[in-house]
């Protein structure tokens, strides 16, 4: 009796395995059919993705050119400003400020009274 019971259990599991295998094959077939039926949409999506990627790359190049141009222009202006600052005669500037103070100080005294 035990062998018949074991044989029945084995037969049950073999049938269950067969049914599961058949279901897996059906699912794989359905997925394959769906993939094939959506293939034109997938190709269109990939083409649009390639177009967007090309546009992003072109935009990136333009942005890089613009940033480099702004950087070069800013550096040139900064160097000009530094040159102008280096050309300032601070000694004469201090003398001029002191002279202006000497002229304005008596005038300020007139208005403060």
């Amino acid at each position: 009796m035990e062998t018949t019971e074991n044989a029945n259990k084995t037969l049950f599991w073999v049938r269950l395995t067969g049914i599961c295998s058949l279901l897996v094959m059906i699912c794989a077939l359905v997925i394959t059919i769906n993939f094939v039926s959506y293939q034109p949409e997938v190709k269109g999506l990939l083409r649009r993705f390639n177009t967007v990627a090309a546009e992003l790359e072109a935009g990136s190049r333009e942005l890089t050119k613009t940033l480099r141009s702004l950087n070069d222009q800013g550096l040139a202006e900064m160097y000009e400003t530094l040159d102008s600052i280096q050309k300032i005669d601070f000694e004469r500037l201090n003398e001029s400020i002191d002279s202006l103070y000497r002229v304005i100080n008596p005038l300020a005294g007139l208005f403060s009274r």
Side-chain angles (χ1 to χ4, degrees):
M1 239 192 191
E2 222 174 273
T3 56
T4 308
E5 224 176 273
N6 285 340
N8 285 338
K9 283 182 182 180
T10 304
L11 181 62
F12 170 77
W13 287 111
V14 168
R15 285 181 183 167
L16 186 63
T17 304
I19 291 170
C20 288
S21 297
L22 184 62
L23 288 174
V24 167
M25 286 187 346
I26 290 172
C27 287
L29 182 64
V30 168
I31 290 171
T32 303
I33 289 171
N34 281 333
F35 181 73
V36 170
S37 67
Y38 288 115
Q39 191 174 9
E41 287 86 0
V42 170
K43 284 183 180 179
L45 184 65
L46 289 175
R47 272 194 298 270
R48 281 180 272 165
F49 177 74
N50 286 337
T51 303
V52 169
E55 289 175 2
L56 283 174
E57 186 176 342
S60 173
R61 274 190 246 120
E62 286 298 317
L63 182 62
T64 301
K65 285 180 188 177
T66 303
L67 289 175
R68 283 184 183 157
S69 172
L70 288 173
N71 187 32
D72 292 343
Q73 182 182 3
L75 285 174
E77 290 176 6
M78 189 171 69
Y79 286 136
E80 287 176 20
T81 304
L82 287 174
D83 285 341
S84 298
I85 289 172
Q86 287 177 346
K87 290 177 184 176
I88 292 175
D89 185 3
F90 287 103
E91 204 170 295
R92 278 191 72 200
L93 180 62
N94 286 334
E95 289 173 8
S96 298
I97 292 171
D98 190 45
S99 297
L100 182 62
Y101 174 74
R102 281 183 270 148
V103 170
I104 297 293
N105 195 24
L107 289 175
L110 288 175
F111 291 108
S112 65
R113 288 184 190 168

